[in-house]
Amino acid sequence: MTDQPPQLFTAVDSLLAAVDDGTVLPVPAERARLREAAGLTPAAVAQALGVRVASITAWEAGRAEPRGERLEAYRRLLEGLAHRYPATTPPPAPTTLPAPPPPAEKTPGAPPAAAAAPDTHATPAPRRPPGPPHRPATRKPRTPAGADPRFPHGPLAVLDGDGRAYGSGGIVLDCPAATIPELAQWTLAESGLGAPKLHRHGKDADPLIVLTTAAALKLGLPQRLEGQEQRRSLRLPPDHPVVAQVAHAQWKLTQRGFGPWARIYRTAQGRERRCVQLAILPWDALDPRSWPGVADMDPAGIAHVLATYAQRVITPRGSTAVCGLELMTALRPPTRAVRDEATGNWIPGHNPGSLGTAPVDPAPPEATPEHPAVVNSGWKGGFLNEEAYQWVRPVEQLSDEECMLPYAIGLDLNTAFLAAAARLDVGLSAPDHFPTPAFNPKIPGSWLVDLTHIDLDPRLPSPFTPDGTRPTEPAWYQTHTLAYAQELGHDVHPIEAYLRRETGAYLDPWHDRLRTAYLDTLADLGITRDLDDRAFLTAIERHQRTDPALAAVLSAIKATVKGGIGKLRERPQGRHHRQGERWPALERPTWRPDIRAAVISKARVNMHRKLTNMANMTGRYPLAVLSDCVVYPSPGDSPLDVLPYTASGQPQPGAFRLGPAPGLTKPEGVQPMLWAVDLMEQGLNPARHIKGGDAVHDAGK
């Protein structure tokens, strides 16, 4: 590895495959044209060059220029794109679904060719006509703009029962596999499926094959798993014939076994992984709560949805929660190549800013009660309770004026956890214990502090507890919660703390990629940042009917955010776990309840800050808060009747504001005020039920 090219050039090569060195940078307008012609987002280029998205934007606008190694790497990228997309060639027009390539078939020794397919967003791909089709001898499938030439057919394919594999961009491949081992071999050797790594120190994504019910049955899999309805035993038994086939063909399964998301692999050869990810649709691989309606689409439609998600987020490799966690690691790989000074060879070394390869035990107050660090130490000192709001204002605190208002309006913060993850410093190393430390708002950690003396307006939830009640004893808090107490003008005197010496904005790349994916998908649905508030409300009201496929992608992106944060503190699963025993999630470096607490703490603080500003600007107080949803009494049935505006009609900064960006607001629902008061009197939370027609039904439970 001593002749390995510079790391930045390697990253660029993963985008271009192979390009020649350039000499000068094109003019700013040409830089943007080349990137857009290749179908690359600013975030993808920024990731490859190791800079922020704002730097790419500035370079393309001519406000700044790259320097040093980044100048050379950026020049290399632009020259490579210029070879592929000369100025006389117009860039491809953006569409919801790319036009399919012309028909082609595979020839001996060549990659599998694409068969023609209609617009899969409108109609399913046609069945092959009887008899042998015309097979051009040398024609190959067209590689989509910006695609890695190693993976000409995209990241995944959906296999039907007739041996057709539907890929991204309308591609349809012939898959002759009759068994699972044959399918794995075909996928790695002939399919041309896969995706390039998201970080220069990372790994390429394994190809994904999605099995429809017909395909699963054809390959010898049962239509349902035993215990599937109870979400138990979601894997084939070890003595199932398909599991035996896999073992006989010298393939291996991960410890998860053969379940809805099965990973089949052989030992890597050098740097080349030999691994195939399967998703079995009849086994509920696509949870309808995260992927609404996708499992019921035709294979081409499923391929379109999943490929869009793969291109914008990550190739699916499990639930959206698993994808959220895997995305963190893909964007912050634990290792990088470093030179061994003794031998001169390149060896794996720690990648700065990552969580490393070894799991780190939390401090006792950051753990869960069943964690070995708690059980084995006999810890009795309490636990960190940084959770999202679940608060309802006492009915007796409602004024007559509020009760007379006709409506209750629900406002929802867009991807509140994603907004909280932005520029968030978290601990990267193991915790150290400090008795009676001085509070420092710049140090991530857990602090034992007495906040019982702080008295706040009872018409607002306390920012220090999830249920919004005033603290009654000293408790453990995350740094952001205590920093907000200082912001409100109160002294903070920790009794003890568990702090981390190594810190960093670990979630920044994760935030940036998901934010871009979220906004790009909203924009495709007609919800853009340049809309005024009335136009925004109209676009939000109709966006799910505009394109169900893109609406499903949007749902999956939001589920990826919440699920990924939740996975940072995955609890033990299964009936056989015993207190104090380790469970599989603890072996991950990403089992980090302290990072989860930091995100949730910041999100709750952000919510309280907006609630306070709303009260100061408008005199309005919430009826209830549930996580990222808040309900207000309103004189009208529109958020425009509640939100504060300046005399010139502009939204007031600091309060809730309408808009598509993470942290801004969209309507969640509207109900009669009497309906909300009735739920409050029953001890129920109106924010939980304000969205839909099941509100009254749920309220009666």
Side-chain angles (χ1 to χ4, degrees):
M1 296 179 61
T2 55
D3 59 348
Q4 176 178 312
Q7 293 170 351
L8 288 174
F9 288 2
T10 302
V12 172
D13 286 344
S14 70
L15 295 173
L16 300 175
V19 294
D20 297 325
D21 291 330
T23 55
V24 295
L25 291 180
V27 297
E30 178 67 2
R31 303 171 196 176
R33 185 195 72 79
L34 290 171
R35 176 184 58 75
E36 292 171 354
L40 298 173
T41 65
V45 178
Q47 184 67 48
L49 298 180
V51 299
R52 295 187 181 276
V53 175
S55 298
I56 303 300
T57 304
W59 297 348
E60 292 182 353
R63 299 193 302 270
E65 295 290 330
R67 297 182 180 180
E69 286 186 340
R70 286 180 172 80
L71 171 62
E72 297 299 323
Y74 190 45
R75 176 189 298 156
R76 187 180 181 92
L77 171 64
L78 295 176
E79 287 294 329
L81 293 176
H83 284 304
R84 294 185 173 207
Y85 307 101
T88 56
T89 302
T95 58
T96 301
L97 179 66
E105 294 291 344
K106 66 181 182 181
T107 57
D119 184 344
T120 55
H121 181 61
T123 58
R127 300 180 64 89
R128 286 177 298 200
H134 173 66
R135 297 175 180 265
T138 59
R139 192 167 187 179
K140 297 182 179 181
R142 180 187 306 164
T143 300
D148 190 306
R150 297 172 300 158
F151 312 115
H153 299 147
L156 55 89
V158 180
L159 185 64
D160 69 9
D162 296 323
R164 291 173 298 194
Y166 294 78
S168 59
I171 288 175
V172 183
L173 306 174
D174 285 326
C175 176
T179 66
I180 291 294
E182 290 177 2
L183 176 61
Q185 183 64 34
W186 173 83
T187 302
L188 293 178
E190 300 182 51
S191 71
L193 297 173
K197 56 193 176 185
L198 298 180
H199 188 279
R200 60 183 178 274
H201 300 314
K203 300 175 181 178
D204 295 334
D206 299 321
L208 168 64
I209 300 294
V210 181
L211 302 183
T212 61
T213 299
L217 294 175
K218 176 183 176 182
L219 295 171
L221 298 173
Q223 184 166 348
R224 305 288 287 176
L225 288 174
E226 183 179 352
Q228 186 168 336
E229 290 75 12
Q230 293 79 31
R231 307 296 298 174
R232 292 187 292 104
S233 305
L234 291 182
R235 65 185 67 188
L236 290 179
D239 58 351
H240 191 277
V242 170
V243 177
Q245 284 179 354
V246 171
H248 182 73
Q250 298 183 335
W251 291 90
K252 300 178 182 179
L253 296 169
T254 63
Q255 291 183 352
R256 291 188 299 176
F258 205 117
W261 290 90
R263 188 178 293 271
I264 302 176
Y265 70 98
R266 283 176 175 160
T267 304
Q269 292 181 332
R271 294 184 182 178
E272 296 299 322
R273 288 167 59 87
R274 297 190 295 171
C275 185
V276 177
Q277 180 74 63
L278 300 180
I280 295 89
L281 293 183
W283 298 356
D284 299 333
L286 297 180
D287 190 327
R289 295 169 297 181
S290 302
W291 302 94
V294 176
D296 297 326
M297 295 180 179
D298 59 77
I302 297 171
H304 169 54
V305 171
L306 296 181
T308 302
Y309 177 89
Q311 188 270 329
R312 297 183 178 185
V313 182
I314 193 172
T315 302
R317 57 191 69 181
S319 67
T320 49
V322 169
C323 292
L325 200 66
E326 293 287 341
L327 182 63
M328 297 179 193
T329 303
L331 295 172
R332 290 279 198 190
T335 62
R336 63 172 181 168
V338 297
R339 188 183 295 275
D340 186 337
E341 297 299 333
T343 64
N345 295 328
W346 292 88
I347 59 174
H350 176 66
N351 184 26
S354 75
L355 297 179
T357 58
V360 174
D361 277 344
E366 297 167 346
T368 56
E370 64 271 19
H371 194 283
V374 174
V375 176
N376 296 337
S377 67
W379 174 258
K380 302 295 183 182
F383 296 96
L384 196 65
N385 189 26
E386 297 287 9
E387 301 293 342
Y389 270 133
Q390 295 191 50
W391 172 82
V392 179
R393 192 181 354 154
V395 177
E396 58 270 18
Q397 291 181 359
L398 296 179
S399 67
D400 292 341
E401 291 78 6
E402 288 176 317
C403 291
M404 293 299 294
L405 292 173
Y407 296 104
I409 293 283
L411 303 175
D412 179 69
L413 289 181
N414 302 325
T415 56
F417 289 168
L418 185 62
R423 315 300 175 249
L424 175 67
D425 274 342
V426 299
L428 303 178
S429 55
D432 292 318
H433 182 253
F434 295 87
T436 62
F439 177 67
N440 186 334
K442 295 183 179 180
I443 300 179
S446 303
W447 315 72
L448 180 62
V449 181
D450 187 353
L451 299 180
T452 59
H453 62 284
I454 299 179
D455 188 19
L456 298 174
D457 193 322
R459 293 172 293 181
L460 294 175
S462 168
F464 310 125
T465 60
D467 63 4
T469 59
R470 181 174 175 173
T472 58
E473 60 183 359
W476 290 92
Y477 299 98
Q478 203 276 334
T479 299
H480 281 279
T481 302
L482 297 182
Y484 187 59
Q486 280 192 337
E487 181 183 324
L488 295 176
H490 303 285
D491 292 332
V492 173
H493 301 289
I495 302 169
E496 59 177 313
Y498 287 90
L499 310 177
R500 287 167 168 79
R501 300 180 186 274
E502 184 182 350
T503 66
Y506 172 73
L507 293 174
D508 265 9
W510 184 82
H511 163 271
D512 293 347
R513 185 167 179 85
L514 285 170
R515 184 180 190 274
T516 299
Y518 180 73
L519 291 176
D520 286 352
T521 306
L522 281 175
D524 289 343
L525 289 167
I527 306 170
T528 58
R529 284 175 282 186
D530 58 350
L531 298 176
D532 62 33
D533 283 1
R534 293 187 182 278
F536 171 76
L537 291 175
T538 300
I540 280 288
E541 192 276 331
R542 68 187 182 197
H543 81 280
Q544 290 190 338
R545 302 189 301 272
T546 301
D547 188 328
L550 281 174
V553 174
L554 185 68
S555 174
I557 292 171
K558 293 189 289 187
T560 302
V561 173
K562 284 192 175 182
I565 296 300
K567 275 281 186 180
L568 292 169
R569 196 190 68 168
E570 183 177 356
R571 306 292 286 268
Q573 301 177 17
R575 297 171 296 172
H576 304 295
H577 179 265
R578 297 291 181 266
Q579 293 280 94
E581 293 180 347
R582 295 187 70 83
W583 59 94
L586 300 186
E587 307 311 317
R588 299 192 317 249
T590 48
W591 197 86
R592 290 295 301 271
D594 56 301
I595 296 180
R596 173 185 178 273
V599 173
I600 296 176
S601 167
K602 187 178 175 183
R604 197 180 66 245
V605 163
N606 287 346
M607 172 66 83
H608 191 273
R609 188 180 289 112
K610 293 179 186 295
L611 295 171
T612 302
N613 290 339
M614 277 284 290
N616 294 336
M617 293 176 186
T618 68
R620 294 190 176 96
Y621 292 86
L623 301 176
V625 184
L626 180 69
S627 187
D628 48 10
C629 177
V630 55
V631 177
Y632 277 100
S634 172
D637 61 356
S638 168
L640 302 177
D641 299 311
V642 175
L643 300 177
Y645 293 87
T646 65
S648 61
Q650 296 300 312
Q652 287 275 19
F656 295 104
R657 297 176 55 185
L658 294 175
L664 297 185
T665 306
K666 63 179 180 296
E668 180 72 1
V670 58
Q671 297 287 346
M673 181 65 179
L674 291 177
W675 169 91
V677 174
D678 181 56
L679 262 63
M680 296 167 69
E681 289 176 339
Q682 298 179 56
L684 301 175
N685 192 324
R688 185 181 300 278
H689 308 292
I690 197 166
K691 185 173 185 177
D694 62 342
V696 175
H697 176 72
D698 289 347
K701 291 184 178 180

